Amino acid sequence: MKKVITYGSFDLFHEGHYNLLKRAKALGDYLIVGVTTEQYDETRGKLNIVDSLITRIDNVRATGFVDEVVVEDHMGQKIEDIKKFDIDVFTVGSDWTGKFDYLKEYCDVVYLERTRNVSSTIRRIEDNAIVKIGIVGTGRVAGRFPQEAKYVSGVTVSGAYNPHGEHAKEFADRLELSFGEDDYDRFLDKVDAVYIASPHETHYEYAKIALKHKKHVLCEKPMVFRRAQAEELFELSKAQGCVLMEAIKTAYSPGFNQLVMMAKSGVIGEIRDVEASFTRLTDSVLREMTDAQYGGAFTEFGSYTLLPMLKLLGREYKEVRFDSIKAENGIDVYTKASFVFDNGLALSKTGVGVKTEGQLMIAGTKGYILAKSPWWLTQSFEVRFEDPNKKEIYSSKFMGKGLRYEISDFARAITGDRNRGYKLTRGESITMAGIMEEFLKQERCSE
Ligand code: CTP
C-alpha cells in the first residue's frame, strides 16, 4: 500500500484545498493529512486563523479523500510522522516548491500545482470587512503600531488623532496614514476602532468617548489608574457591543501563553512564588521621569510584572506592600511590590533609574520555570528540577515588536470570535487597575 502525507492549516476551506487533497490521494492508496494547531500556526507567524481546529479537521474529512488526520503542533514533526507512518510520498502545493526537499532523504517529495486565485488569506480579507483603526496619540509607542498592523489581515490603520493638529498631520504623513485629526469626534467618525497610545492619564476619557461612539478600543497599558474606571469602561463596552482590550503585548504572545500553560500543567507542582522584574534605564527628560503624578517605574512597567502573577496565582491577593526608591521629584525610580496570597507569594521589581536582571521565576513544589531577559518578549524558558540533569528548554517565536499578536486578537474579537478574551481577561485588567490605584494612593498622595 502506497502511503501519502500532506500538511496545512486548511482555514476557511476552499477549492484550492479540495483540489490539493484530491490529487494528493491520487498519488497513492492511503492519505494522511496533518492539520496545524492554532498555537503552532502562531509560533510560525501565521496569525488570524479563523476556523477552530475541529472545524478545519471536519472540512478536511468531509472531502472523502482522507483516510487519517493527524494534528501538527511542532517543528520537526513531519520527519517524525514520515517515519512513524512509513510514508512513501510527501506532497504539498507548489507555493512550497523546494522548501521540503530536505524530506527527500525519507520519502518522495511531490509539489502539486497550486490552484490559482484562491487562498485562505484572500478569503479572510473578503469575509471580514477591513477594520479601520485610528491611533490616539502620536508619540513613541504609537509610531510602532502601523508597521506591526501590516502583518495582521483584516485591519488597516487609517489615521491618527492628536489635539495639536500639526503633530497629528506630521505623524500621519510620516507613517503614510490617510489623515491626521485634531478634533476627536471627527476622528472617531472616520474609524471603526481606536488604539489609544496617548499619555496614561488621558486613556480613560478617550476610551469612554470612543465606546460611547460605538468604537472598539485597544488601550495601551496601564489602561486606567482606578479600579472603578476599569469596571465602568468594561460595562460600557458590553452595553455598546464593543470590544475593549488592554494592550499588554506579552499577554498575547505565543511564547508567554505557552509558558503559562506549562506552569499550569502541574509540571512544577503547585505554584508558590512568582517573581518578575522589568527595568529600563530611562533618560531624565522623558515623561516617565518627569511626570510627578503618573510617571515612575511601577506605573510604566508594572503591567508586565503583574501579568504572570495574576495568571498564575490569581486575582485574590491578601496583602500588597510597595517599597520604592524615589527621585527628587517624587517619582519611583525603583519599586518592589510584594504580594501575599493564601498559598503563595509574588514579587514585582520595576525600575527606570535602577538596573537589575529582567527575569521571570516561577517556583513550584516540584520544580521551577525560569524565563530570562527579555522574558516579556518570551522566546524561550526553562523548566528545572531538583535534579539539574532533568532541565527542559522550550522556545517559541516572537516576531517583530510583538504588537502584531495583540492586534491580531483585537481584530478577531471584533470580527466575531469574542471568546478570545482568555489571553488577558477583563478581571485581570480590572485587578491591575486596582493595584495601580493602591500604589498611587500610597506613594503619591502623601507628597
Ligand atoms: N493550496 C493549493 N492551492 C491554493 C491554496 C492552497 O494547492 N490555492 C494548498 C497549499 O499549497 C497546501 C494546502 O493547500 O499544500 C494547505 O494550504 P494552506 O496553507 O492551509 O492554505 P492557503 O490557502 O495557502 O492558506 P494561507 O492563505 O493562510 O497561507
Side-chain angles (χ1 to χ4, degrees):
M1 186 170 68
K2 200 169 175 186
K3 282 180 150 184
V4 182
I5 197 160
T6 188
Y7 294 86
S9 314
F10 300 98
D11 191 28
L12 300 173
F13 199 87
H14 55 68
E15 181 197 341
H17 295 142
Y18 183 90
N19 292 341
L20 181 108
L21 294 176
K22 186 174 178 185
R23 284 173 298 149
K25 173 74 177 193
L27 293 172
D29 310 300
Y30 191 83
L31 176 62
I32 303 179
V33 179
V35 182
T36 51
T37 62
E38 191 177 290
Q39 284 79 4
Y40 179 51
D41 275 324
E42 278 190 358
T43 59
R44 62 195 190 116
K46 197 163 182 174
L47 307 176
N48 269 2
I49 296 290
V50 175
D51 288 336
S52 69
L53 178 59
I54 302 288
T55 304
R56 290 180 288 125
I57 291 176
D58 284 348
N59 289 338
V60 163
R61 280 195 199 283
T63 61
F65 303 126
V66 179
D67 298 287
E68 193 171 339
V69 172
V70 295
V71 169
E72 185 185 24
D73 64 4
H74 62 274
M75 285 273 279
Q77 186 180 329
K78 292 189 177 75
I79 297 178
E80 287 167 23
D81 288 346
I82 289 170
K83 289 184 182 167
K84 183 161 101 189
F85 296 109
D86 198 13
I87 295 296
D88 301 289
V89 183
F90 168 89
T91 188
V92 70
S94 53
D95 45 325
W96 295 98
T97 300
K99 301 257 169 54
F100 291 104
D101 286 357
Y102 70 92
L103 295 175
K104 285 182 179 165
E105 197 182 325
Y106 309 95
C107 62
D108 288 343
V109 174
V110 177
Y111 299 103
L112 292 168
E113 193 55 41
R114 189 177 158 89
T115 309
R116 285 172 189 276
N117 301 327
V118 58
S119 76
S120 304
T121 306
I122 296 174
R123 289 214 145 183
R124 279 192 283 268
I125 293 170
E126 284 168 357
D127 281 16
N128 302 321
I130 301 272
V131 178
K132 275 185 277 162
I133 306 180
I135 304 180
V136 180
T138 56
R140 278 172 286 154
V141 184
R144 295 184 206 136
F145 193 85
Q147 184 55 29
E148 286 279 318
K150 289 194 179 128
Y151 294 93
V152 180
S153 45
V155 303
T156 176
V157 180
S158 47
Y161 164 81
N162 187 313
H164 305 287
E166 68 281 16
H167 289 171
K169 294 216 163 58
E170 184 278 323
F171 182 86
D173 283 349
R174 184 158 47 87
L175 294 159
E176 298 177 346
L177 312 181
S178 324
F179 61 87
E181 267 293 351
D182 57 6
D183 181 296
Y184 198 47
D185 284 348
R186 234 178 13 233
F187 163 81
L188 289 175
D189 283 343
K190 295 181 180 174
V191 298
D192 308 310
V194 296
Y195 165 60
I196 299 178
S198 51
H200 299 335
E201 69 278 12
T202 63
H203 290 175
Y204 168 70
E205 277 302 326
Y206 284 135
K208 190 160 132 181
I209 299 171
L211 290 169
K212 284 192 170 160
H213 280 69
K214 285 198 186 298
K215 306 296 170 183
H216 306 286
V217 175
L218 175 64
C219 186
E220 254 313 319
K221 55 159 189 61
M223 187 169 78
V224 288
F225 290 118
R226 311 234 180 293
R227 190 187 167 89
Q229 289 181 340
E231 285 170 342
E232 182 196 336
L233 290 180
F234 279 116
E235 278 309 312
L236 181 60
S237 74
K238 219 160 132 190
Q240 297 288 82
C242 291
V243 174
L244 170 62
M245 267 174 51
E246 186 171 4
I248 303 175
K249 60 176 182 282
T250 310
Y252 305 93
S253 76
F256 180 74
N257 279 285
Q258 189 187 7
L259 181 151
V260 169
M261 297 306 160
M262 187 63 72
K264 286 190 165 174
S265 74
V267 67
I268 57 165
E270 301 289 332
I271 296 166
R272 292 288 180 253
D273 191 20
V274 178
E275 264 192 49
S277 327
F278 192 129
T279 62
R280 183 181 294 144
L281 293 181
T282 306
D283 199 316
S284 59
V285 298
L286 292 176
R287 178 192 47 76
E288 294 92 304
M289 304 297 268
T290 55
D291 180 349
Q293 185 56 28
Y294 296 109
F298 189 69
T299 52
E300 199 56 33
F301 300 133
S303 310
Y304 291 122
T305 49
L306 296 176
L307 178 69
M309 171 188 95
L310 295 176
K311 288 278 169 209
L312 297 169
L313 293 174
R315 296 189 275 128
E316 306 298 327
Y317 61 90
K318 291 196 305 186
E319 284 168 38
V320 56
R321 179 195 154 110
F322 301 102
D323 293 292
S324 296
I325 293 168
K326 294 186 186 178
E328 272 175 17
N329 64 356
I331 65 129
D332 57 313
V333 289
Y334 186 63
T335 290
K336 278 187 175 180
S338 320
F339 295 82
V340 178
F341 288 75
D342 264 340
N343 232 335
L345 301 171
L347 179 65
S348 137
K349 290 194 271 183
T350 46
V352 286
V354 172
K355 190 70 196 161
T356 184
E357 179 68 25
Q359 66 177 21
L360 169 62
M361 171 76 82
I362 302 159
T365 52
K366 293 185 183 158
Y368 62 96
I369 294 180
L370 174 63
K372 291 184 185 156
S373 174
W375 64 265
W376 51 95
L377 316 176
T378 324
Q379 281 188 313
S380 73
F381 60 90
E382 294 178 10
V383 185
R384 297 184 182 181
F385 303 92
E386 191 67 56
D387 174 0
N389 299 318
K390 248 181 95 186
K391 183 162 96 176
E392 294 163 12
I393 300 173
Y394 292 84
S395 64
S396 176
K397 272 203 182 124
F398 185 90
M399 296 172 128
K401 303 268 181 221
L403 299 185
R404 62 192 69 180
Y405 302 111
E406 67 193 24
I407 303 172
S408 165
D409 265 43
F410 184 54
R412 285 163 72 170
I414 292 171
T415 53
D417 187 359
R418 304 269 155 129
N419 293 325
R420 297 183 64 77
Y422 68 92
K423 286 187 182 157
L424 183 67
T425 65
R426 290 170 174 210
E428 286 160 355
S429 271
I430 290 169
T431 305
M432 279 200 202
I435 295 170
M436 292 284 168
E437 180 171 4
E438 258 179 270
F439 171 77
L440 291 178
K441 204 154 59 189
Q442 278 190 32
E443 297 292 311
R444 302 280 153 93
C445 286
S446 54
E447 307 296 330

